[in-house]
Amino acid sequence: MHTMQELWRRFEEWLRQNAPGDYSALRPGASDADISRLESGVGFPLHDDLKSLLSEHNGVTPRRSSMAPGAFLLGYSLLDTDGILEWHQNLSAMAHEAVEDGYEEEVVGRTAHTLWVPFAQALTGDLLFVDHRTGHHGEVGELSFGDPEYLPLWPSMTLMLTDLCDAVEGSLRLPTARRRPSVHEGRMLEWVTG
C-alpha cells in the first residue's frame, strides 16, 4: 500500500506528462497555519489523507467554464482551504436546519452532515467529500444536489487515488464511478461515462 503522498505524486506526474493544462492549474500546498485555521473552522481534526492532499496542493486555479482545465477528479476541481470551509459551513447549516425544522431523517446523513468535509466541487455545485463520522471515517462520497442521497465512492482517499492512478496509467474504466479517463485536446483529463 502506497502513502497518500506517494500516490498523489504519481498522479501529478501523469498529469504533468499527459494533461499539462490540469497540471498547471494546481496551486501550491496549504501552509500548516492554513490547515490549522481550517480545522478550527470545521471544529474537529481533518483526516490525515485530506491534510496530506492539502499540504501538496491548496486547490486549483478557479475554473470559469467547462473548457478550463482543473477538473481532473471525476470532473471535480480541488477546493482550497477557504472553499472547503465555506462548503462545510453550508452543509452544516443544511443539517442543522433540517433538525430544527423536523425533517432530519430526509437530510442528515443523506444529503448533508456536519462531519462531511468537501474537498472538490464541480461547476454544477456537486461535491466530493471526506466523511468524518465514526464508522465512516475517511470514506469519500459524492454529493449530487437534487439526488435523495449521497453516493459512497471509496473507503478512503488513498484507495481513490490508487484507482485513479491505475485508471489513467492503463486507460481503464473506474469500477466505482463507472467512468473512464480521456485526455481532451492533449491538455486536460476528462472522465467519460462508459
Side-chain angles (χ1 to χ4, degrees), residues 18-68:
N18 299 280
D22 287 329
Y23 179 79
S24 66
L26 290 164
R27 294 173 55 184
S31 68
D32 290 343
D34 290 334
I35 294 171
S36 292
R37 273 192 299 279
L38 176 57
E39 288 181 317
S40 293
V42 300
F44 51 85
L46 296 175
H47 192 278
D48 286 344
D49 284 352
L50 183 54
K51 286 198 285 193
S52 180
L53 178 63
L54 286 169
S55 69
E56 292 293 321
H57 294 287
N58 191 17
V60 295
T61 304
R63 296 173 76 218
R64 302 291 179 224
S65 78
S66 61
M67 295 309 297

Side-chain angles (χ1 to χ4, degrees), residues 18-185:
N18 299 280
D22 287 329
Y23 179 79
S24 66
L26 290 164
R27 294 173 55 184
S31 68
D32 290 343
D34 290 334
I35 294 171
S36 292
R37 273 192 299 279
L38 176 57
E39 288 181 317
S40 293
V42 300
F44 51 85
L46 296 175
H47 192 278
D48 286 344
D49 284 352
L50 183 54
K51 286 198 285 193
S52 180
L53 178 63
L54 286 169
S55 69
E56 292 293 321
H57 294 287
N58 191 17
V60 295
T61 304
R63 296 173 76 218
R64 302 291 179 224
S65 78
S66 61
M67 295 309 297
F72 47 79
L73 289 179
L74 304 179
Y76 292 83
S77 298
L78 292 175
L79 291 166
D80 63 13
T81 53
D82 291 338
I84 290 171
L85 182 58
E86 180 181 346
W87 272 109
H88 176 263
Q89 290 170 339
N90 291 342
L91 292 180
S92 294
M94 289 169 59
H96 288 303
E97 185 178 305
V99 170
E100 290 171 5
D101 293 346
Y103 54 95
E104 178 178 357
E105 283 186 26
E106 291 86 0
V107 173
V108 178
R110 297 182 74 187
T111 59
H113 201 286
T114 58
L115 296 176
W116 290 354
V117 181
F119 67 93
Q121 177 187 10
L123 282 174
T124 59
D126 295 346
L127 300 167
L128 294 179
F129 66 89
V130 176
D131 202 330
H132 287 72
R133 295 177 292 170
T134 302
H136 298 274
H137 196 254
E139 290 180 4
V140 175
E142 182 177 34
L143 181 60
S144 296
F145 292 103
D147 285 353
E149 195 149 359
Y150 82 96
L151 180 65
L153 293 179
W154 284 279
S156 70
M157 289 185 86
T158 302
L159 290 174
M160 175 190 79
L161 268 179
T162 300
D163 281 357
L164 291 175
C165 287
D166 290 346
V168 296
E169 291 168 356
S171 296
L172 304 172
R173 183 176 179 263
L174 276 175
T176 308
R178 297 181 303 280
R179 298 172 199 157
R180 62 177 177 76
S182 173
V183 176
H184 180 72
E185 296 179 348

